[in-house]
């Protein structure tokens, strides 16, 4: 929309007085030092927001005027000195520009399409569960470590039970988390119950950690009456208001910008919490990912992006999705601090998420975590992954890189776990699930949308019940009419 005014100067002056734009422009941004953090993960493991070789600490960069772009939302292009000379360049100049300084150079140089040095992957435990020498991580108590391992075993067992149930025709669909148990459980352990989770569909372990019972999982997958969605959703689309876990949506990446909006709300309300969103490598190919990253950086929202880079977006390998050095470097492009982590190392995941949460909440900044892992199971029960990847590759990741086995070895080395505790744990899990339960009534299909159900829906409900009564053999006998 455009408009014409005879006195544009009056409009500008009026905006100045109403909005206080000039005073906002002069406000300093203010930074938070990372030194107050827990001295657990060196900051250089997180990718800085810009590539500046003379500095190693992003926070030290933020204090150097002219070298690091302030992320103040209202910054003036008018400065005391718009153009300065660059000491090291005879013909180079620096121009103040919204968001930072632009360095001019007479040399024509294109940015390389790939880095000369690839991003490192943060790791604490080797494949045998041994601590890597000189590794730094957030200490984990025996109680927390044992709970983490117990939850990972429970998640494995849960996947086995429901996968078999689908193959037997008792549920229509299922998605496993095999090979990605550490990402689920370790990240959940590093968060607080006030943090709001926006999942994809491969994070039931986060719910498990927060207290979602095995029967509640069964209620959703089998569409029981006690299901919080009243049986209306397809299996594995869990959700819990009580546990701050938004309901799963099948649409790829739509949860990512939602998480940023929630994080911005938490920031405005001055809450001691952050939003966390999970997605796969395929999700980063969606526009929602890029919009969310930029949205989070500009609004400085306390949100943690956790990407499960498991190598495959259904049958599409990462090599057919992007040419960048993984996912973490994309955060740098948007001004988001990032880190690449071994997603099969529970201790590394816990430490990275724990530190990321501290920065997100205390410094009001988004953090991107790329968890490098492998999807050992099929994409879903509708998929046969052996059609597009070799079976021996899958088996190698299942046996040699299993995150549950690796973490078990570490707690056994610490004397916190043994074979007797293992057998007791595994035998107790299956007894907690009772799939047979009463189903929701047919009329629940028509409720919870309108306060007063309109006549057309009442007519549909009537016709459906009449059809069921005429053809009872074509409909489940355990669904009350």
């Amino acid at each position: 929309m455009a408009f014409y005014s005879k006195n544009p100067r009056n409009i500008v002056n009026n905006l100045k007085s109403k909005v206080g734009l000039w005073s906002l422009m002069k406000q300093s941004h203010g930074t938070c030092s990372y030194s107050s953090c827990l001295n657990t993960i060196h900051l250089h493991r997180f990718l800085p927001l810009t590539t500046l070789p003379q500095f190693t600490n992003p926070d030290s960069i933020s204090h150097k005027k002219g070298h690091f772009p302030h992320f103040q939302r209202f910054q003036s292009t008018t400065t005391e000195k718009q153009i300065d000379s660059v000491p090291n360049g005879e013909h180079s100049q620096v121009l103040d520009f919204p968001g930072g300084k632009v360095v001019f150079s007479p040399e024509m140089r294109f940015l390389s399409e790939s880095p000369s040095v690839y991003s490192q992957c943060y790791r604490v435990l080797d494949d045998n569960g041994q601590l890597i020498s000189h590794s730094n991580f957030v200490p984990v108590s025996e109680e927390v470590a044992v709970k983490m391992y117990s939850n990972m075993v429970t998640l494995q067992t849960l996947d086995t039970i429901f996968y078999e149930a689908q193959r037997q025709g008792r549920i229509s669909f299922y998605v496993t988390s095999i090979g990605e148990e550490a990402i689920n459980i370790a990240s959940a352990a590093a968060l607080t119950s006030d943090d709001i989770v926006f999942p994809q569909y491969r994070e039931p372990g986060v719910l498990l950690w927060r207290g979602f019972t095995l029967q509640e999982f069964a209620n959703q997958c089998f569409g029981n009456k006690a299901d919080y969605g009243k049986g209306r959703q397809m299996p594995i689309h869990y959700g819990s208001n009580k546990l701050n876990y938004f309901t799963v949506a099948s649409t790829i990446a739509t949860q990512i910008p939602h998480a940023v909006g929630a994080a911005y709300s938490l920031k405005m309300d001055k809450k001691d919490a952050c939003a966390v969103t999970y997605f796969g490598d395929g999700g980063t190919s969606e526009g929602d990912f890029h919009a969310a990253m930029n949205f989070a950086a500009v609004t400085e929202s306390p949100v943690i992006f956790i990407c499960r880079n498991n190598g495959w977006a259904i049958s599409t390998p990462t090599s057919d999705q992007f040419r960048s050095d993984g996912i973490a470097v994309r955060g740098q492009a948007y001004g988001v601090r990032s880190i690449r982590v071994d997603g099969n190392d529970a201790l590394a995941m816990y430490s990275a998420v724990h530190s990321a949460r501290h920065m997100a909440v205390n410094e009001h900044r988004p953090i991107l975590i790329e968890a490098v892992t492998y999807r050992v199971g099929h994409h879903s029960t509708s998929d046969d992954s052996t059609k597009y990847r070799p079976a021996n590759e899958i088996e190698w990741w299942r046996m040699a890189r299993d995150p549950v086995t690796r973490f078990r070895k570490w707690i056994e080395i610490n004397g916190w776990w043994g074979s007797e505790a293992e057998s007791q744990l595994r035998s107790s899990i299956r007894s907690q699930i009772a799939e047979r339960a009463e189903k929701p009534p047919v009329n629940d299909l028509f409720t919870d949308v309108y306060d007063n159900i309109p006549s057309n829906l009442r007519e549909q409900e009537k016709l459906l019940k009449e059809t069921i009564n005429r053809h009872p053999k074509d409909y489940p006998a355990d669904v009350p009419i």
Side-chain angles (χ1 to χ4, degrees):
M1 181 179 69
F3 65 91
Y4 172 81
S5 172
K6 293 182 179 180
N7 299 303
R9 187 182 299 275
N10 292 340
I11 295 176
V12 173
N13 290 334
N14 185 53
L15 284 172
K16 290 181 188 177
S17 62
K18 296 293 185 183
V19 182
L21 186 58
W22 262 216
S23 63
L24 283 170
M25 289 175 178
K26 294 179 180 178
Q27 289 179 2
S28 63
H29 175 59
T31 56
C32 299
S33 173
Y34 185 71
S35 61
S36 61
C37 199
L38 302 176
N39 294 322
T40 55
I41 298 178
H42 292 313
L43 189 56
H44 68 263
R45 292 187 183 276
F46 285 84
L47 295 176
L49 306 185
T50 56
T51 305
L52 296 169
Q54 61 267 45
F55 300 109
T56 57
N57 187 324
D59 286 326
S60 68
I61 297 173
S62 65
H63 291 93
K64 304 290 184 180
K65 184 177 180 182
H67 289 284
F68 185 73
H70 280 196
F71 288 102
Q72 179 67 34
R73 294 182 67 196
F74 303 98
Q75 187 147 358
S76 175
T77 57
T78 305
T79 59
E80 294 179 3
K81 229 177 182 183
Q82 266 199 332
I83 299 183
D84 298 316
S85 62
V86 179
N88 298 329
E90 181 181 352
H91 302 288
S92 300
Q93 290 180 318
V94 178
L95 172 67
D96 258 329
F97 192 76
K101 290 183 180 290
V102 176
V103 180
F104 292 109
S105 170
E107 178 185 358
M108 182 172 67
R109 183 172 59 186
F110 289 85
L111 295 176
S112 174
E113 72 281 1
S114 60
S116 56
V117 179
Y118 287 97
S119 303
Q120 293 184 348
C121 189
Y122 172 60
R123 193 184 195 193
V124 177
L125 300 177
D126 64 19
D127 289 338
N128 294 316
Q130 299 278 353
L131 279 175
I132 298 173
S133 59
H134 307 299
S135 59
N136 55 329
F137 59 94
V138 177
V140 179
S141 67
E142 176 181 353
E143 180 184 4
V144 172
V146 169
K147 182 182 177 183
M148 285 172 62
Y149 177 71
S150 298
N151 274 212
M152 284 194 281
V153 172
T154 303
L155 183 56
Q156 274 191 337
T157 308
L158 196 72
D159 278 344
T160 301
I161 293 172
F162 289 135
Y163 184 83
E164 291 174 352
Q166 194 281 332
R167 288 300 189 237
Q168 295 165 4
R170 290 184 288 161
I171 60 176
S172 60
F173 180 81
Y174 193 70
V175 169
T176 67
S177 303
I178 303 171
E180 302 178 30
E181 295 89 352
I183 297 174
N184 270 247
I185 303 302
S187 64
L191 302 172
T192 72
S193 58
D194 292 328
D195 297 328
I196 304 174
V197 177
F198 291 80
Q200 192 181 21
Y201 43 63
R202 219 178 291 275
E203 294 83 28
V206 179
L207 268 180
L208 185 65
W209 179 270
R210 293 191 170 193
F212 210 68
T213 66
L214 301 190
Q215 185 56 51
E216 286 177 302
F217 284 112
N219 287 338
Q220 199 285 322
C221 288
F222 286 94
N224 294 334
K225 185 178 181 179
D227 170 35
Y228 301 122
K230 298 185 179 180
R232 300 176 181 128
Q233 266 281 23
M234 63 186 296
I236 66 92
H237 286 59
Y238 313 110
S240 173
N241 291 336
K242 181 179 67 174
L243 301 177
N244 281 331
Y245 189 98
F246 270 65
T247 301
V248 172
S250 289
T251 45
I252 301 299
T254 54
Q255 76 278 9
I256 308 177
H258 296 167
V260 181
Y264 191 40
S265 176
L266 291 171
K267 174 184 175 181
M268 293 175 68
D269 292 339
K270 299 184 179 355
K271 300 289 187 181
D272 184 24
C274 66
V276 185
T277 182
Y278 297 81
F279 47 93
D281 47 274
T284 67
S285 298
E286 294 286 340
D288 282 340
F289 165 77
H290 299 276
M293 291 288 290
N294 191 58
F295 181 22
V298 171
T299 58
E300 298 173 332
S301 298
V303 56
I304 303 175
F305 301 97
I306 300 180
C307 174
R308 296 175 290 92
N309 185 355
N310 62 22
W312 297 90
I314 308 182
S315 60
T316 305
T318 54
S319 59
D320 288 348
Q321 295 181 60
F322 48 78
R323 288 291 184 268
S324 62
D325 177 21
I327 309 299
V329 293
R330 301 187 185 188
Q332 195 173 34
Y334 287 108
V336 175
R337 189 171 291 172
S338 311
I339 187 172
R340 175 181 282 175
V341 184
D342 182 351
N344 288 28
D345 182 348
L347 205 51
M349 276 301 302
Y350 176 85
S351 299
V353 176
H354 192 282
S355 298
R357 185 190 183 279
H358 180 90
M359 289 186 282
V361 173
N362 292 282
E363 301 177 21
H364 288 156
R365 67 164 72 245
I367 303 290
L368 170 63
I369 296 176
E370 176 189 0
V372 180
T373 183
Y374 188 83
R375 194 197 73 214
V376 172
H378 304 299
H379 173 74
S380 71
T381 50
S382 303
D383 173 48
D384 180 3
S385 61
T386 60
K387 299 296 184 182
Y388 51 83
R389 56 182 186 171
N392 60 344
E393 175 185 292
I394 301 171
E395 190 61 20
W396 182 82
W397 279 90
R398 184 193 303 274
M399 301 302 295
R401 297 274 296 159
D402 177 41
V404 183
T405 301
R406 189 196 300 192
F407 195 65
R408 176 186 174 179
K409 290 177 179 178
W410 182 70
I411 60 175
E412 285 179 335
I413 291 171
N414 289 328
W416 297 342
W417 196 254
S419 56
E420 184 178 346
E422 181 78 15
S423 59
Q424 290 177 353
L425 171 65
R426 292 186 179 274
S427 63
S428 66
I429 296 173
R430 286 181 175 265
S431 62
Q432 300 178 43
I433 300 178
E435 64 183 67
R436 299 291 298 178
E438 186 179 355
K439 302 299 180 184
V442 168
N443 63 309
D444 275 358
L445 288 171
F446 304 91
T447 58
D448 298 332
V449 176
Y450 296 97
D451 185 25
N452 295 308
I453 300 177
S455 58
N456 64 311
L457 288 185
R458 292 193 180 279
E459 181 66 20
Q460 288 181 29
E461 180 183 355
K462 178 184 175 183
L463 291 173
L464 176 60
K465 291 180 177 180
E466 291 175 352
T467 302
I468 294 173
N469 287 326
R470 285 199 306 269
H471 309 280
K473 294 182 179 181
D474 296 332
Y475 293 88
D478 56 351
V479 177
I481 299 177

